Amino acid sequence: MNKEKIEKPENKCELQKILDIIGGKWSMSIIYALIPEKRRFKELERIIPGISTRMLVKELKNMEENGIVTRTAFATVPPTVEYNLTAKGKKLDPIINDLYQWGLEYIN
Amino acid sequence: MNKEKIEKPENKCELQKILDIIGGKWSMSIIYALIPEKRRFKELERIIPGISTRMLVKELKNMEENGIVTRTAFATVPPTVEYNLTAKGKKLDPIINDLYQWGLEYIN
């Protein structure tokens, strides 16, 4: 095995940073759910099977801080919160679709 | 908001299955490390920053069971184990690269 060929660790660190943001168990499912349109919190909770309220709150907060989703609160009774993908988040659409196609071809 | 537009949950379940296999914190980093060539366990451990031995064992086992990597053991002293991407695993190369490019453009 040729040791010269091993890439420098910096590359791996970059990928780790990316995966810390969108590589979680739930973040890609949330992005996927937001691709067709913006959604209310309750809606996301309903259409992402298996996610807990706490985890959805946590993931959305993380994604908002990383500029992947925007959060808009409406002063309704009860209060409504709507999430939408940013331009940066929308750029993940084809990647998640490719991943999905890969899965359709190779899983099951 | 138009309720008709919400996709059926089955789609989300499919994506969850895919993400259960390759959406973990480490699996994409492992695939990325195996793209240029097959690698020994010790090598993977060294070039993936922050992964524990236990986690690497666990992830590789999961990836082997899901047909993403092959594991070849050599009866050397000490024993050597080599991992390589399967054809199915190699198909993830362009997707991980797109993700990486997205990160370079949007992170930092």
Side-chain angles (χ1 to χ4, degrees):
Chain A
M1 221 153 298
N2 183 354
K3 298 236 165 145
E4 303 301 316
K5 271 196 195 166
I6 299 172
E7 297 103 274
K8 298 197 189 83
E10 300 91 83
N11 283 343
K12 304 299 176 307
C13 289
E14 277 304 320
L15 188 64
Q16 274 303 314
K17 269 193 248 171
I18 297 163
L19 295 172
D20 283 347
I21 296 175
I22 53 155
K25 186 167 158 53
W26 299 108
S27 39
M28 285 206 202
S29 294
I30 297 170
I31 295 166
Y32 189 72
L34 288 172
I35 286 170
E37 60 178 346
K38 62 189 172 188
R39 300 212 189 263
R40 279 169 293 133
F41 184 88
K42 286 280 168 202
E43 238 181 321
L44 286 173
E45 202 173 12
R46 185 162 43 81
I47 63 181
I48 300 170
I51 198 165
S52 67
T53 306
R54 207 183 114 172
M55 189 50 80
L56 184 55
V57 168
K58 194 184 151 197
E59 290 279 342
L60 285 168
K61 193 161 183 283
N62 181 35
M63 288 162 79
E64 193 192 350
E65 281 167 6
N66 285 298
I68 291 165
V69 300
T70 56
R71 178 186 185 278
T72 316
F74 297 96
T76 52
V77 181
T80 321
V81 184
E82 225 170 54
Y83 291 90
N84 205 357
L85 287 179
T86 60
K88 175 175 163 178
K90 281 187 181 125
K91 289 277 174 99
L92 289 165
D93 175 7
I95 302 175
I96 294 177
N97 265 305
D98 286 350
L99 206 55
Y100 187 64
Q101 288 309 317
W102 174 88
L104 288 186
E105 194 170 348
Y106 288 108
I107 299 175
N108 302 324
Chain B
M1 222 154 295
N2 183 356
K3 297 239 164 142
E4 302 302 315
K5 270 193 189 166
I6 298 174
E7 296 102 275
K8 297 196 189 84
E10 299 91 83
N11 283 342
K12 303 301 174 308
C13 288
E14 277 303 320
L15 189 64
Q16 274 302 314
K17 267 193 246 169
I18 298 164
L19 294 173
D20 283 347
I21 296 175
I22 52 154
K25 185 168 159 53
W26 297 109
S27 39
M28 285 206 201
S29 294
I30 296 169
I31 296 166
Y32 189 72
L34 288 171
I35 286 168
E37 60 178 345
K38 61 189 172 189
R39 301 209 189 265
R40 279 168 293 134
F41 183 88
K42 285 280 168 200
E43 238 181 323
L44 285 172
E45 203 173 12
R46 185 160 44 81
I47 65 179
I48 301 169
I51 198 165
S52 67
T53 305
R54 208 184 115 172
M55 189 51 80
L56 184 56
V57 168
K58 195 186 152 196
E59 290 279 341
L60 284 168
K61 193 161 182 285
N62 182 36
M63 288 162 78
E64 192 192 351
E65 280 167 8
N66 285 298
I68 292 166
V69 301
T70 56
R71 179 186 185 277
T72 316
F74 298 96
T76 52
V77 181
T80 320
V81 184
E82 226 170 53
Y83 291 90
N84 205 355
L85 288 178
T86 60
K88 174 176 165 179
K90 281 187 183 127
K91 289 276 175 101
L92 289 166
D93 175 7
I95 302 175
I96 294 177
N97 265 304
D98 286 349
L99 206 55
Y100 186 64
Q101 289 307 318
W102 174 88
L104 289 186
E105 193 170 350
Y106 288 109
I107 300 174
N108 301 323

mmCIF file of all heavy atoms in Angstrom, chain A residues 47-83:
data_model
loop_
_atom_site.group_PDB
_atom_site.id
_atom_site.type_symbol
_atom_site.label_atom_id
_atom_site.label_comp_id
_atom_site.label_asym_id
_atom_site.label_seq_id
_atom_site.Cartn_x
_atom_site.Cartn_y
_atom_site.Cartn_z
ATOM 1 N N ILE A 47 -45.023 14.525 9.375
ATOM 2 C CA ILE A 47 -44.609 13.817 8.155
ATOM 3 C C ILE A 47 -43.235 13.147 8.244
ATOM 4 O O ILE A 47 -42.862 12.397 7.350
ATOM 5 C CB ILE A 47 -44.693 14.703 6.881
ATOM 6 C CG1 ILE A 47 -43.745 15.883 6.962
ATOM 7 C CG2 ILE A 47 -46.117 15.131 6.624
ATOM 8 C CD1 ILE A 47 -43.808 16.797 5.744
ATOM 9 N N ILE A 48 -42.486 13.425 9.317
ATOM 10 C CA ILE A 48 -41.196 12.730 9.476
ATOM 11 C C ILE A 48 -41.397 11.609 10.490
ATOM 12 O O ILE A 48 -41.503 11.844 11.685
ATOM 13 C CB ILE A 48 -40.083 13.701 9.917
ATOM 14 C CG1 ILE A 48 -39.926 14.797 8.862
ATOM 15 C CG2 ILE A 48 -38.764 12.941 10.112
ATOM 16 C CD1 ILE A 48 -39.044 15.945 9.274
ATOM 17 N N PRO A 49 -41.492 10.360 10.027
ATOM 18 C CA PRO A 49 -41.863 9.309 10.956
ATOM 19 C C PRO A 49 -40.742 9.031 11.961
ATOM 20 O O PRO A 49 -39.576 8.969 11.597
ATOM 21 C CB PRO A 49 -42.099 8.076 10.066
ATOM 22 C CG PRO A 49 -41.629 8.430 8.708
ATOM 23 C CD PRO A 49 -41.211 9.852 8.673
ATOM 24 N N GLY A 50 -41.128 8.926 13.225
ATOM 25 C CA GLY A 50 -40.177 8.512 14.253
ATOM 26 C C GLY A 50 -39.416 9.625 14.948
ATOM 27 O O GLY A 50 -38.724 9.384 15.926
ATOM 28 N N ILE A 51 -39.523 10.847 14.442
ATOM 29 C CA ILE A 51 -38.772 11.929 15.093
ATOM 30 C C ILE A 51 -39.529 12.399 16.339
ATOM 31 O O ILE A 51 -40.762 12.480 16.336
ATOM 32 C CB ILE A 51 -38.475 13.102 14.117
ATOM 33 C CG1 ILE A 51 -37.341 13.980 14.679
ATOM 34 C CG2 ILE A 51 -39.724 13.938 13.815
ATOM 35 C CD1 ILE A 51 -36.721 14.932 13.647
ATOM 36 N N SER A 52 -38.784 12.689 17.425
ATOM 37 C CA SER A 52 -39.429 13.197 18.640
ATOM 38 C C SER A 52 -39.495 14.723 18.546
ATOM 39 O O SER A 52 -38.725 15.346 17.814
ATOM 40 C CB SER A 52 -38.629 12.791 19.872
ATOM 41 O OG SER A 52 -37.374 13.445 19.866
ATOM 42 N N THR A 53 -40.431 15.308 19.285
ATOM 43 C CA THR A 53 -40.575 16.774 19.293
ATOM 44 C C THR A 53 -39.247 17.411 19.677
ATOM 45 O O THR A 53 -38.783 18.362 19.046
ATOM 46 C CB THR A 53 -41.669 17.186 20.298
ATOM 47 O OG1 THR A 53 -42.855 16.474 19.968
ATOM 48 C CG2 THR A 53 -41.961 18.679 20.239
ATOM 49 N N ARG A 54 -38.626 16.882 20.710
ATOM 50 C CA ARG A 54 -37.370 17.433 21.217
ATOM 51 C C ARG A 54 -36.272 17.402 20.153
ATOM 52 O O ARG A 54 -35.532 18.365 19.973
ATOM 53 C CB ARG A 54 -36.932 16.583 22.415
ATOM 54 C CG ARG A 54 -36.089 17.349 23.399
ATOM 55 C CD ARG A 54 -35.635 16.429 24.509
ATOM 56 N NE ARG A 54 -34.200 16.283 24.425
ATOM 57 C CZ ARG A 54 -33.473 15.661 25.338
ATOM 58 N NH1 ARG A 54 -34.053 15.087 26.380
ATOM 59 N NH2 ARG A 54 -32.181 15.589 25.221
ATOM 60 N N MET A 55 -36.191 16.279 19.456
ATOM 61 C CA MET A 55 -35.166 16.129 18.423
ATOM 62 C C MET A 55 -35.437 17.069 17.249
ATOM 63 O O MET A 55 -34.512 17.663 16.706
ATOM 64 C CB MET A 55 -35.142 14.663 17.963
ATOM 65 C CG MET A 55 -34.002 14.295 17.057
ATOM 66 S SD MET A 55 -32.367 14.796 17.646
ATOM 67 C CE MET A 55 -32.040 13.482 18.826
ATOM 68 N N LEU A 56 -36.715 17.220 16.885
ATOM 69 C CA LEU A 56 -37.055 18.121 15.782
ATOM 70 C C LEU A 56 -36.694 19.567 16.131
ATOM 71 O O LEU A 56 -36.126 20.300 15.313
ATOM 72 C CB LEU A 56 -38.546 17.984 15.423
ATOM 73 C CG LEU A 56 -39.040 18.786 14.219
ATOM 74 C CD1 LEU A 56 -38.245 18.496 12.953
ATOM 75 C CD2 LEU A 56 -40.524 18.526 13.958
ATOM 76 N N VAL A 57 -36.983 19.970 17.372
ATOM 77 C CA VAL A 57 -36.628 21.317 17.835
ATOM 78 C C VAL A 57 -35.109 21.504 17.723
ATOM 79 O O VAL A 57 -34.626 22.495 17.181
ATOM 80 C CB VAL A 57 -37.077 21.539 19.312
ATOM 81 C CG1 VAL A 57 -36.453 22.808 19.890
ATOM 82 C CG2 VAL A 57 -38.593 21.598 19.408
ATOM 83 N N LYS A 58 -34.377 20.525 18.216
ATOM 84 C CA LYS A 58 -32.915 20.592 18.253
ATOM 85 C C LYS A 58 -32.326 20.675 16.842
ATOM 86 O O LYS A 58 -31.463 21.508 16.554
ATOM 87 C CB LYS A 58 -32.387 19.340 18.981
ATOM 88 C CG LYS A 58 -30.933 19.438 19.384
ATOM 89 C CD LYS A 58 -30.454 18.140 20.010
ATOM 90 C CE LYS A 58 -28.962 17.998 19.749
ATOM 91 N NZ LYS A 58 -28.488 16.632 19.948
ATOM 92 N N GLU A 59 -32.809 19.813 15.973
ATOM 93 C CA GLU A 59 -32.284 19.781 14.602
ATOM 94 C C GLU A 59 -32.595 21.077 13.852
ATOM 95 O O GLU A 59 -31.748 21.614 13.155
ATOM 96 C CB GLU A 59 -32.881 18.591 13.829
ATOM 97 C CG GLU A 59 -32.389 17.237 14.294
ATOM 98 C CD GLU A 59 -31.024 16.858 13.717
ATOM 99 O OE1 GLU A 59 -30.600 17.453 12.709
ATOM 100 O OE2 GLU A 59 -30.377 15.973 14.299
ATOM 101 N N LEU A 60 -33.837 21.569 14.019
ATOM 102 C CA LEU A 60 -34.225 22.801 13.323
ATOM 103 C C LEU A 60 -33.402 23.986 13.823
ATOM 104 O O LEU A 60 -33.007 24.860 13.052
ATOM 105 C CB LEU A 60 -35.727 23.066 13.489
ATOM 106 C CG LEU A 60 -36.649 22.176 12.644
ATOM 107 C CD1 LEU A 60 -38.096 22.307 13.106
ATOM 108 C CD2 LEU A 60 -36.562 22.520 11.151
ATOM 109 N N LYS A 61 -33.131 24.011 15.112
ATOM 110 C CA LYS A 61 -32.317 25.090 15.693
ATOM 111 C C LYS A 61 -30.907 25.047 15.084
ATOM 112 O O LYS A 61 -30.371 26.076 14.665
ATOM 113 C CB LYS A 61 -32.264 24.906 17.216
ATOM 114 C CG LYS A 61 -31.729 26.107 17.954
ATOM 115 C CD LYS A 61 -32.127 26.057 19.429
ATOM 116 C CE LYS A 61 -31.642 27.299 20.152
ATOM 117 N NZ LYS A 61 -30.200 27.269 20.450
ATOM 118 N N ASN A 62 -30.344 23.874 15.045
ATOM 119 C CA ASN A 62 -29.010 23.680 14.472
ATOM 120 C C ASN A 62 -28.987 24.096 12.998
ATOM 121 O O ASN A 62 -28.083 24.796 12.541
ATOM 122 C CB ASN A 62 -28.629 22.193 14.641
ATOM 123 C CG ASN A 62 -27.251 21.867 14.104
ATOM 124 O OD1 ASN A 62 -26.329 22.681 14.197
ATOM 125 N ND2 ASN A 62 -27.104 20.680 13.529
ATOM 126 N N MET A 63 -30.041 23.708 12.260
ATOM 127 C CA MET A 63 -30.096 24.042 10.841
ATOM 128 C C MET A 63 -30.323 25.530 10.620
ATOM 129 O O MET A 63 -29.835 26.096 9.635
ATOM 130 C CB MET A 63 -31.205 23.219 10.163
ATOM 131 C CG MET A 63 -30.821 21.755 10.025
ATOM 132 S SD MET A 63 -32.257 20.707 9.735
ATOM 133 C CE MET A 63 -32.515 21.001 7.992
ATOM 134 N N GLU A 64 -31.050 26.163 11.533
ATOM 135 C CA GLU A 64 -31.269 27.611 11.431
ATOM 136 C C GLU A 64 -29.938 28.339 11.674
ATOM 137 O O GLU A 64 -29.574 29.254 10.934
ATOM 138 C CB GLU A 64 -32.325 28.034 12.467
ATOM 139 C CG GLU A 64 -32.847 29.447 12.233
ATOM 140 C CD GLU A 64 -33.654 29.963 13.423
ATOM 141 O OE1 GLU A 64 -33.964 29.168 14.344
ATOM 142 O OE2 GLU A 64 -33.942 31.166 13.440
ATOM 143 N N GLU A 65 -29.214 27.901 12.702
ATOM 144 C CA GLU A 65 -27.912 28.515 13.030
ATOM 145 C C GLU A 65 -26.913 28.347 11.889
ATOM 146 O O GLU A 65 -26.040 29.181 11.705
ATOM 147 C CB GLU A 65 -27.335 27.878 14.296
ATOM 148 C CG GLU A 65 -27.967 28.436 15.558
ATOM 149 C CD GLU A 65 -27.644 27.608 16.810
ATOM 150 O OE1 GLU A 65 -26.837 26.657 16.715
ATOM 151 O OE2 GLU A 65 -28.207 27.913 17.861
ATOM 152 N N ASN A 66 -27.075 27.261 11.134
ATOM 153 C CA ASN A 66 -26.152 27.022 10.031
ATOM 154 C C ASN A 66 -26.679 27.544 8.690
ATOM 155 O O ASN A 66 -26.117 27.229 7.630
ATOM 156 C CB ASN A 66 -25.831 25.525 9.933
ATOM 157 C CG ASN A 66 -24.883 25.097 11.031
ATOM 158 O OD1 ASN A 66 -23.759 25.582 11.099
ATOM 159 N ND2 ASN A 66 -25.330 24.233 11.921
ATOM 160 N N GLY A 67 -27.734 28.333 8.749
ATOM 161 C CA GLY A 67 -28.225 28.987 7.536
ATOM 162 C C GLY A 67 -28.860 28.063 6.512
ATOM 163 O O GLY A 67 -28.885 28.380 5.330
ATOM 164 N N ILE A 68 -29.389 26.934 6.969
ATOM 165 C CA ILE A 68 -30.018 25.998 6.037
ATOM 166 C C ILE A 68 -31.530 26.204 5.991
ATOM 167 O O ILE A 68 -32.148 26.014 4.951
ATOM 168 C CB ILE A 68 -29.630 24.544 6.400
ATOM 169 C CG1 ILE A 68 -28.138 24.353 6.096
ATOM 170 C CG2 ILE A 68 -30.456 23.511 5.642
ATOM 171 C CD1 ILE A 68 -27.526 23.150 6.707
ATOM 172 N N VAL A 69 -32.114 26.598 7.119
ATOM 173 C CA VAL A 69 -33.548 26.929 7.140
ATOM 174 C C VAL A 69 -33.763 28.305 7.761
ATOM 175 O O VAL A 69 -32.925 28.801 8.511
ATOM 176 C CB VAL A 69 -34.398 25.885 7.941
ATOM 177 C CG1 VAL A 69 -34.297 24.494 7.352
ATOM 178 C CG2 VAL A 69 -34.050 25.879 9.415
ATOM 179 N N THR A 70 -34.889 28.913 7.398
ATOM 180 C CA THR A 70 -35.318 30.131 8.093
ATOM 181 C C THR A 70 -36.516 29.764 8.959
ATOM 182 O O THR A 70 -37.265 28.834 8.640
ATOM 183 C CB THR A 70 -35.761 31.237 7.105
ATOM 184 O OG1 THR A 70 -36.796 30.699 6.269
ATOM 185 C CG2 THR A 70 -34.622 31.719 6.259
ATOM 186 N N ARG A 71 -36.684 30.489 10.039
ATOM 187 C CA ARG A 71 -37.778 30.253 10.981
ATOM 188 C C ARG A 71 -38.598 31.534 11.048
ATOM 189 O O ARG A 71 -38.048 32.606 11.291
ATOM 190 C CB ARG A 71 -37.171 29.945 12.351
ATOM 191 C CG ARG A 71 -38.154 29.714 13.457
ATOM 192 C CD ARG A 71 -37.384 29.564 14.772
ATOM 193 N NE ARG A 71 -38.269 29.212 15.868
ATOM 194 C CZ ARG A 71 -39.004 30.076 16.545
ATOM 195 N NH1 ARG A 71 -38.962 31.355 16.232
ATOM 196 N NH2 ARG A 71 -39.788 29.667 17.534
ATOM 197 N N THR A 72 -39.901 31.440 10.811
ATOM 198 C CA THR A 72 -40.765 32.605 10.900
ATOM 199 C C THR A 72 -41.875 32.314 11.894
ATOM 200 O O THR A 72 -42.606 31.330 11.741
ATOM 201 C CB THR A 72 -41.382 32.952 9.520
ATOM 202 O OG1 THR A 72 -40.355 32.862 8.533
ATOM 203 C CG2 THR A 72 -41.977 34.342 9.502
ATOM 204 N N ALA A 73 -41.976 33.153 12.921
ATOM 205 C CA ALA A 73 -43.006 32.962 13.947
ATOM 206 C C ALA A 73 -44.159 33.909 13.684
ATOM 207 O O ALA A 73 -43.957 35.082 13.363
ATOM 208 C CB ALA A 73 -42.420 33.196 15.325
ATOM 209 N N PHE A 74 -45.384 33.387 13.795
ATOM 210 C CA PHE A 74 -46.570 34.206 13.612
ATOM 211 C C PHE A 74 -47.302 34.341 14.941
ATOM 212 O O PHE A 74 -47.445 33.341 15.666
ATOM 213 C CB PHE A 74 -47.505 33.580 12.566
ATOM 214 C CG PHE A 74 -46.886 33.502 11.202
ATOM 215 C CD1 PHE A 74 -46.269 32.338 10.770
ATOM 216 C CD2 PHE A 74 -46.903 34.608 10.352
ATOM 217 C CE1 PHE A 74 -45.685 32.265 9.513
ATOM 218 C CE2 PHE A 74 -46.321 34.532 9.091
ATOM 219 C CZ PHE A 74 -45.704 33.369 8.675
ATOM 220 N N ALA A 75 -47.754 35.555 15.240
ATOM 221 C CA ALA A 75 -48.406 35.813 16.526
ATOM 222 C C ALA A 75 -49.869 35.391 16.517
ATOM 223 O O ALA A 75 -50.769 36.150 16.849
ATOM 224 C CB ALA A 75 -48.269 37.292 16.889
ATOM 225 N N THR A 76 -50.088 34.146 16.128
ATOM 226 C CA THR A 76 -51.448 33.604 16.140
ATOM 227 C C THR A 76 -51.712 32.984 17.515
ATOM 228 O O THR A 76 -50.817 32.878 18.333
ATOM 229 C CB THR A 76 -51.589 32.505 15.057
ATOM 230 O OG1 THR A 76 -50.514 31.569 15.238
ATOM 231 C CG2 THR A 76 -51.526 33.077 13.660
ATOM 232 N N VAL A 77 -52.956 32.574 17.743
ATOM 233 C CA VAL A 77 -53.260 31.856 18.979
ATOM 234 C C VAL A 77 -53.825 30.489 18.578
ATOM 235 O O VAL A 77 -54.888 30.428 17.963
ATOM 236 C CB VAL A 77 -54.294 32.616 19.852
ATOM 237 C CG1 VAL A 77 -54.556 31.833 21.145
ATOM 238 C CG2 VAL A 77 -53.808 34.015 20.179
ATOM 239 N N PRO A 78 -53.135 29.374 18.862
ATOM 240 C CA PRO A 78 -51.769 29.302 19.439
ATOM 241 C C PRO A 78 -50.712 29.768 18.438
ATOM 242 O O PRO A 78 -50.997 29.813 17.239
ATOM 243 C CB PRO A 78 -51.621 27.799 19.734
ATOM 244 C CG PRO A 78 -52.492 27.111 18.741
ATOM 245 C CD PRO A 78 -53.663 28.033 18.518
ATOM 246 N N PRO A 79 -49.505 30.106 18.891
ATOM 247 C CA PRO A 79 -48.480 30.624 17.973
ATOM 248 C C PRO A 79 -48.133 29.602 16.884
ATOM 249 O O PRO A 79 -48.164 28.401 17.122
ATOM 250 C CB PRO A 79 -47.267 30.859 18.883
ATOM 251 C CG PRO A 79 -47.760 30.789 20.280
ATOM 252 C CD PRO A 79 -49.000 29.939 20.260
ATOM 253 N N THR A 80 -47.854 30.094 15.699
ATOM 254 C CA THR A 80 -47.482 29.228 14.576
ATOM 255 C C THR A 80 -46.035 29.530 14.190
ATOM 256 O O THR A 80 -45.626 30.694 14.195
ATOM 257 C CB THR A 80 -48.373 29.529 13.343
ATOM 258 O OG1 THR A 80 -49.695 29.773 13.790
ATOM 259 C CG2 THR A 80 -48.348 28.386 12.351
ATOM 260 N N VAL A 81 -45.282 28.512 13.889
ATOM 261 C CA VAL A 81 -43.908 28.714 13.429
ATOM 262 C C VAL A 81 -43.748 27.985 12.100
ATOM 263 O O VAL A 81 -44.168 26.840 11.952
ATOM 264 C CB VAL A 81 -42.878 28.180 14.450
ATOM 265 C CG1 VAL A 81 -41.454 28.487 13.979
ATOM 266 C CG2 VAL A 81 -43.109 28.794 15.813
ATOM 267 N N GLU A 82 -43.172 28.703 11.135
ATOM 268 C CA GLU A 82 -43.019 28.138 9.807
ATOM 269 C C GLU A 82 -41.541 28.042 9.444
ATOM 270 O O GLU A 82 -40.775 28.969 9.723
ATOM 271 C CB GLU A 82 -43.709 29.071 8.809
ATOM 272 C CG GLU A 82 -44.566 28.361 7.799
ATOM 273 C CD GLU A 82 -45.382 29.375 7.024
ATOM 274 O OE1 GLU A 82 -44.791 30.317 6.456
ATOM 275 O OE2 GLU A 82 -46.617 29.235 6.998
ATOM 276 N N TYR A 83 -41.169 26.929 8.839
ATOM 277 C CA TYR A 83 -39.780 26.738 8.422
ATOM 278 C C TYR A 83 -39.697 26.653 6.906
ATOM 279 O O TYR A 83 -40.560 26.064 6.273
ATOM 280 C CB TYR A 83 -39.211 25.467 9.046
ATOM 281 C CG TYR A 83 -39.033 25.614 10.531
ATOM 282 C CD1 TYR A 83 -40.059 25.277 11.409
ATOM 283 C CD2 TYR A 83 -37.856 26.136 11.050
ATOM 284 C CE1 TYR A 83 -39.915 25.452 12.778
ATOM 285 C CE2 TYR A 83 -37.694 26.306 12.416
ATOM 286 C CZ TYR A 83 -38.724 25.960 13.273
ATOM 287 O OH TYR A 83 -38.571 26.136 14.624
#
